Every structure is written in C-alpha cells, then in structure tokens.
Amino acid sequence: GADVPQEQKAGWTSFIKSLAHMTGDLSSMTAPPFILSPVSLTEFPAYWCEHPELFARISEGSSPQDRMERVLRWFIATLKGQYTTRNEKMGSEKKPLNPVLGELFFGVWPDKNGRGETRLMVEQVSHHPPITAYHIENQKAGVSLQGHSGQKTSFSGTAIHVKQSGHAILTVKPKNGDREEKYLITLPKLRIEGVIWGSPYVELADSSAIQSSTGFTAAIDYKGKGYFSGKSHTFKATLTQDGHKNLQTYEGQWTGVSHAGKQVFLDTSAPKEEVVVKPISEQGEWESRRLWEKVARGIRSGNYDEAAKEKTRIENEQRQRRKDEAAGGTSWDLKLFEHVDSDEEYRKLADMLHDKLTPPHEDGFVFKG
Ligand code: 0T9
C-alpha cells in the first residue's frame, strides 16, 4: 500500500488478510494505528443535520409534493458529509471508535434567522452487534428525525462491502396546516475502495428509497465511475406518486451539483454547519467525547500506547459490567430510547413501497423524550 507508513506495512498486510475471515462485524477488529479515527460512531448521526436550514424548511413546503422534494433535497445534501468527511478532515476514511453500550452524544445547531434550534440526541443501544439510535428535532420548525443504524460487512478481496441495517423516519408538521406527514428513509449500501493502498474511501452502491405517508416515493440509485457518466459518486433519483407516473428525475453527484431537468436542484458545495457540543469538562461520564478523551488524545498525538492502554481499560470495564449483570440477572437500561420488536411506522410505510422491502419488519427504537 502506497499510503501506508513504512513501519506499519506489515501490520496493514495482516489486517487485510484478517478481513477475509471477518464474520460481518468489522468494528471490533484491531487495525494499525494510522487508520484509526479519534471519533466514535455515536457522533455520526450529526451528519444528518449539517444543513439545518434545509431540514427546518421542509415544513414550509406548500403541498405534499413540494415537501417531498424538500425532503429529497435535504437527504441528498446530507450524503457528502456522511460519506466524505473523514477523507476531507483526515486524508482518508478511518476506523471509528467502537461505541460502548450506553454511550451518549448530544449536540445542537443554534437558531439562526428564526429557523429554530435543532437538537441531536444519540445513544449506543447495542454493542454486539453495534447499533446506534438517534433523535434529531427542530420543535419550532415541526420537523424531527428518528432512526437507528447498524452495519454488516464483508470483504471481496479488493473492497469492503457494507450493508446498512436500520432506517430513519422523518416526521413533518406542515406550516400550512396540512396533516402530519411521515417519511421512511432507507439507507444505501457502501463499498469501501482503496483499501489495499491504505487510502480507503466510500462509494455508494445499489439504491435507497424515501417513502412518504402522502404516497410519494423517491427511488435513488447510486453508481460509481463509469455508469451514468464517467464520474464517481453519482446518483439518479426518480419521484413517483402511488407507484405510477414518473413526476421528475434528479441526477448528479452527491459530492457536487445535481439537476432536475435543466435546473440546478442542489449544490452541495454550500458550507455545512457542524454540530455544537458542550466542552468535555461539562459532559457526563457516558458522553462520547469524555468517555474516549484519553484514547482520542493518544490517537491524535501519535501516542498509540496510551490510546491502546485506555481502550483496553474501557473494554475491560465493559466486560466486567456485562458479567455483573449476568450474575445479578439484570440488564442494561437504555436511557433515551425504548426498543420495540417491530416498528409500526416502518411497517406501514414500507408496505406502501412499490419495490417491496426486505425485511418487511424491522426493530425500532422509540424516543422516550
Ligand atoms: C452511519 C456512515 C456509517 C455509519 C459508517 C462502514 C464504516 C462504519 C459505519 C455507515 C452513518 O450515517 C454513515 C459512514 C461511514 C461508515 C464507515 C466507513 C468505514 O470504513 C467504517 C468501517 C467499520 C471501517 O472502519 C473499515 C475500516 C477501514 C477504514 C479500513 C479498511
């Protein structure tokens, strides 16, 4: 690998070999220091709202179709942050910190121009397999997002294939007095390319969908280099109503500009707003940046021994907790969410989709407020 530091080449080769034996969960595998990120996966749900303006303005749409288009525009605008931020900040995709059960992350996007404050609440609701639940809400705008996220990974020899599990449901209270609307958002598949070279990056693959309770469906296809065009990171979305009649097609690059016909639909080069988080000194002990503080510091400063020592301490402490719970016949209580075996909203909206979803049922995490 051309981008692997000389002294970590052997470690990288053996990490790649171990990928072949992976059983679906890459998060718990040990990787060489150069590929480690000091950021936990519990911070990732913030990517959903780095364009708080687009999020808030959904409820200002004048009709169900107008609001559906706003949802689609906001969704496409989130992709660049979700899937390229680590490359932009750290030079390549990196391996995030694997959250502990009960880990929390809170943040806000302050009110600006009367759009209202947007609040983010995240909890790691499962460690094995890793599942992160999140709730994002702008009360003034009447827009909220509720979701959870997990991953199943496999290795093809050149790329890591990631199937995302979970879904998100957006709730909108229209400003024009129309009835409350729900939008089911499914998640695309990922391919992590450039692994052999030690400079991984994400390409999106296959398709995802947005299904509204008002009968609109957006089907979004993702392609890399050489499919729709010679460009990477491209998508094509079609908007339909009640399963017939193509109302509009949107296409472009989710890292750049996209069009609806000749008109520019979205330009993702617009600056994004990062979530505002309390200083670590004011955080509780389960809050992500405080919990991982020493590990993150070790990774950032190149003191990998400190990082490894602290990581082991956290993992041992977790193991002991699980043992104590098993011995005492108790289990960990979630703080912000309640697990349900079948998410009713998911079931109803998934059932409206023309291309039926597998699975037809999914777990849900209900925000306790
Ligand atoms: C939900 C997102 C998700 C999380 C990340 C696959 C991945 C962990 C999950 C799916 C967010 O909404 C969007 C973006 C990026 C996804 C990560 C990319 C990635 O590589 C990691 C996996 C677990 C690795 O760390 C692989 C190691 C790799 C960097 C070196 C080979």
Side-chain angles (χ1 to χ4, degrees), residues 328-343:
T330 61
S331 63
W332 180 261
D333 282 327
L334 297 180
K335 232 186 142 130
L336 308 174
F337 299 92
E338 190 184 330
H339 174 257
V340 292
D341 285 333
S342 176
D343 182 336

Side-chain angles (χ1 to χ4, degrees), residues 12 15 19 26-27 35 41 44 47-48 82-83 86 93-96 149 151 153 160 162 164 190 192 195 200 202:
W12 188 242
F15 175 69
L19 286 175
L26 196 149
S27 57
I35 207 73
L41 264 187
F44 283 43
Y47 295 133
W48 284 110
Q82 303 260 19
Y83 301 110
R86 281 78 52 200
E93 187 62 65
K94 301 263 172 173
K95 191 170 183 294
S149 153
Q151 300 87 38
T153 29
I160 298 172
V162 182
Q164 298 200 67
L190 281 64
I192 304 168
V195 175
V202 169

Side-chain angles (χ1 to χ4, degrees), residues 45 48 132-136 145-149 166-169 337 365:
W48 284 110
T132 310
Y134 50 90
H135 184 81
I136 303 175
L145 183 73
Q146 166 66 51
H148 68 277
S149 153
H167 59 268
I169 291 176
F337 299 92
F365 291 90

Side-chain angles (χ1 to χ4, degrees), residues 53-75 143 170 172-176 178 181 183 210 212 214-218 239-241 247-248 250 260 263 265:
E53 207 75 43
L54 290 177
F55 187 72
R57 290 273 154 79
I58 292 168
S59 57
E60 290 172 19
S62 57
S63 65
Q65 182 170 343
D66 184 10
R67 289 186 291 270
M68 176 66 179
E69 291 190 47
R70 287 167 186 245
V71 172
L72 180 61
R73 203 176 298 141
W74 156 75
F75 173 79
V143 183
L170 183 82
V172 179
K173 295 189 176 75
K175 289 290 174 202
N176 68 357
D178 284 358
E181 297 167 351
Y183 297 80
I210 305 175
S212 82
T214 51
F216 290 94
T217 310
L239 183 63
T240 55
Q241 187 174 16
L247 298 168
Q248 184 67 266
Y250 310 86
Q263 239 178 342
F265 176 62

Side-chain angles (χ1 to χ4, degrees), residues 160-209:
I160 298 172
H161 297 255
V162 182
K163 193 173 176 298
Q164 298 200 67
S165 59
H167 59 268
I169 291 176
L170 183 82
T171 304
V172 179
K173 295 189 176 75
K175 289 290 174 202
N176 68 357
D178 284 358
R179 282 204 317 180
E180 180 178 279
E181 297 167 351
K182 301 270 181 188
Y183 297 80
L184 168 66
I185 298 168
T186 71
L187 307 164
K189 287 187 180 135
L190 281 64
R191 226 173 31 234
I192 304 168
E193 311 262 20
V195 175
I196 307 290
W197 311 116
S199 47
Y201 66 93
V202 169
E203 184 57 277
L204 296 180
D206 282 5
S207 58
S208 74

